[in-house]
Amino acid sequence: MTDDGAEASGRPWTDLPRELADHMRPHLDAVADDMIQEIQTRVREYDRPGEGPYSSTLRLAVERVLHYFVERVADPREPESSVIDFFRAIGRGEAGEGRSLDAVQTAMRVGGMVAWRRMTEGAAALEVPARTLGAVGEALMLFQDELAAAAAEGYAQAKAAVAGEMQRRRKRLLDLLFADPPAAPEAIADLAAAAHWPIPRTVAAVALGQEARQPAGFPPDILSDLSRRTPSLIIPDPDGPGRAKLVDRALSGSLAVVGPTVPLKEAARSIEWARKTLGLAERGVIEATTGVIRSVEHMSTLILFQDEELITSLARLRLAPLTHLRSSQQDRLAETLLAWLQSGRNANEVAMRLHVHPQTVRYRLRQLEELFGDQLLDPDLRFDLEIVLRARALLGDRPGEQIISAAREAVGDTAEIVNFRR
């Protein structure tokens, strides 16, 4: 029969003669001494008689277990809550002290072995029938399993509580590091100590897409909070040996942006740039679907889109000569003008870039000269044009992404907007 079946029917306790308890009671102190001595001999953590919490807990546990066992033999209906609660508390205590349950479990096995040895010796003297002795052994093993399960339950509960509290401290630490203006260094140091987080020299913040899940394989020194509006991480010493590969591997399944490496006190700046980069990636301005993006590799794009109202105003001013053209004409000429500016104003190179005939390029360039006139000779104006045309090209054919308001501009009824559609 399984343990569940035994518990359901009351066996093996109901198979034990009640008078057996009377024979056991006079020997409990001696059995307890034998169990304690054997446990202290065979379990290193308990080998200091009279010293420390292990020894005092050991005697209390052994005496409670023996007395409860005997009382349950006397009455199978004896409630078990007190001794079970006691072993749950033992499990919680071991977790709270940062120890494993190995010593407790070994002590249980050793104690059970000693108890069984003494029971068989007494049973032989009393000529206890084999069937009854078998029921005693079954009850002892079942009882031992119940106590081990209670200790494991208490241990797990304490571990979960500690982990939850530690995670709350780490989330609060993340809040302090991202605060603007920065939190006081003393407050950060105190909370870092409470969260068991070694303070690094540099950090990089990570902004994750909304579908982000807890990255696997991250070391415990990486702070995370996926419940934020923008799920975020902080990576200590991101430029250390092997850290970049670790980050790439762990974040490869989601859209993630790593901000610039900064001193700890500037973590807010790193997350700010990571969030801005993530926003541009989600819009498609920065090309990415999943995988790691690094803000430092897109700084020029971030500068371009730092103030979109400003870039729109500049585009409205500098691209005004194109506003009277059809959208398709605007696109062709804007593409040609950008390629011409990027290639050092070399028509043949423009033709190679755009995969069109050089003669086509020259025709378009003549149109641009007619439209823009002397502006193309001014290096400052050419710089402005390249800025707005780069912004236009980055937005590409994304619907609704415009550099000038969708409303008609006040340059005439036939003026068209300069939008970002190809």
Side-chain angles (χ1 to χ4, degrees):
M1 180 179 289
T2 65
D3 288 349
D4 290 341
E7 289 181 307
S9 64
R11 292 191 61 248
W13 302 100
T14 54
D15 291 344
L16 300 177
R18 308 283 74 82
E19 62 271 15
L20 193 59
D22 296 330
H23 293 292
M24 291 178 176
R25 285 193 183 96
H27 306 286
L28 289 183
D29 289 343
V31 174
D33 289 341
D34 286 353
M35 289 173 65
I36 291 169
Q37 182 178 354
E38 189 74 13
I39 290 170
Q40 288 175 334
T41 300
R42 299 182 59 172
V43 184
R44 179 178 57 82
E45 288 81 359
Y46 296 93
D47 65 358
R48 293 165 292 180
E51 294 183 20
Y54 271 117
S55 295
S56 58
T57 301
L58 173 61
R59 177 161 291 277
L60 182 60
V62 167
E63 291 176 352
R64 282 200 179 195
V65 166
L66 288 174
H67 282 86
Y68 173 79
F69 185 85
V70 171
E71 295 310 315
R72 195 166 179 185
V73 171
D75 182 358
R77 297 168 299 176
E78 177 75 14
E80 64 180 24
S81 60
S82 61
V83 72
I84 292 298
D85 287 345
F86 180 73
F87 272 80
R88 285 196 189 101
I90 289 177
R92 288 194 294 269
E94 295 298 281
E97 294 296 327
R99 297 186 290 257
S100 74
L101 281 178
D102 292 348
V104 172
Q105 292 168 340
T106 302
M108 285 184 188
R109 289 192 294 270
V110 172
M113 179 188 67
V114 173
W116 175 242
R117 183 193 307 144
R118 291 296 299 267
M119 286 179 187
T120 55
E121 291 171 355
L126 295 171
E127 298 182 350
V128 174
R131 182 177 181 279
T132 300
L133 187 60
V136 171
E138 185 179 352
L140 183 62
M141 287 187 289
L142 178 61
F143 184 45
Q144 190 171 332
D145 286 346
E146 290 171 350
L147 298 181
E153 181 183 354
Y155 188 87
Q157 289 171 348
K159 279 289 189 183
V162 169
E165 178 59 28
M166 196 62 66
Q167 185 60 24
R168 283 190 290 274
R169 291 174 184 173
R170 288 180 163 232
K171 286 183 177 181
R172 175 59 182 150
L173 180 57
L174 206 68
D175 290 338
L176 287 186
L177 293 173
F178 288 163
D180 188 14
E186 296 80 7
I188 292 174
D190 289 346
L191 190 53
H196 297 174
W197 191 68
I199 294 182
R201 186 177 59 84
T202 60
V203 295
V206 179
L208 302 169
Q210 288 299 320
E211 301 302 318
R213 291 173 293 188
Q214 183 68 36
F218 261 14
D221 64 343
I222 291 180
L223 301 178
S224 66
D225 184 359
L226 302 190
S227 64
R228 301 174 72 90
R229 185 169 60 181
T230 300
S232 305
L233 310 172
I234 281 187
I235 302 172
D237 299 319
D239 300 329
R243 297 290 270 186
K245 288 184 179 179
L246 182 150
V247 171
D248 288 350
R249 185 167 57 249
L251 298 176
S252 60
S254 59
L255 180 57
V257 176
V258 180
T261 299
V262 296
L264 181 66
K265 64 182 180 181
E266 297 180 23
R269 180 165 65 88
S270 185
I271 192 61
E272 178 186 4
W273 284 108
R275 287 173 184 154
K276 289 181 178 179
T277 308
L278 177 65
L280 293 176
E282 289 175 334
R283 288 168 58 185
V285 176
I286 293 174
E287 186 175 356
T289 51
T290 59
V292 177
I293 302 169
R294 286 180 166 76
S295 292
V296 294
E297 297 173 2
H298 301 277
M299 295 303 283
S300 60
T301 301
L302 288 166
I303 292 170
L304 276 178
F305 288 87
Q306 175 69 3
D307 188 334
E308 295 193 40
E309 284 190 18
L310 190 59
I311 197 73
T312 298
S313 297
L314 183 61
R316 183 181 294 116
L317 176 65
R318 295 297 177 231
L319 299 182
L322 300 178
T323 55
H324 70 283
L325 303 176
R326 295 190 309 274
S327 180
S328 59
Q329 289 179 297
Q330 292 176 20
D331 292 337
R332 286 194 297 271
L333 291 178
E335 181 184 49
T336 302
L337 180 54
L338 178 59
W340 181 71
L341 293 168
Q342 291 175 328
S343 62
R345 295 171 285 168
N346 185 308
N348 290 328
E349 187 174 336
V350 172
M352 292 176 61
R353 284 189 179 211
L354 302 183
H355 305 289
V356 297
H357 196 278
Q359 198 62 29
T360 301
V361 171
R362 293 187 180 93
Y363 171 71
R364 294 181 186 175
L365 290 175
R366 284 195 295 271
Q367 287 183 289
L368 289 167
E369 287 174 357
E370 292 174 2
L371 290 167
F372 287 90
D374 292 343
Q375 293 184 60
L376 299 182
L377 301 178
D378 187 321
D380 291 335
L381 295 181
R382 288 201 303 268
F383 180 71
D384 287 356
L385 283 168
E386 186 169 355
I387 288 175
V388 295
L389 290 169
R390 279 178 179 270
R392 184 183 194 280
L394 284 168
L395 286 170
D397 57 2
R398 276 159 288 284
E401 295 281 10
Q402 299 174 333
I403 204 166
I404 297 179
S405 170
R408 289 183 179 273
E409 301 300 322
V411 294
D413 291 340
T414 60
E416 298 183 14
I417 65 168
V418 179
N419 60 35
F420 290 94
R421 296 193 307 269
R422 283 197 175 279

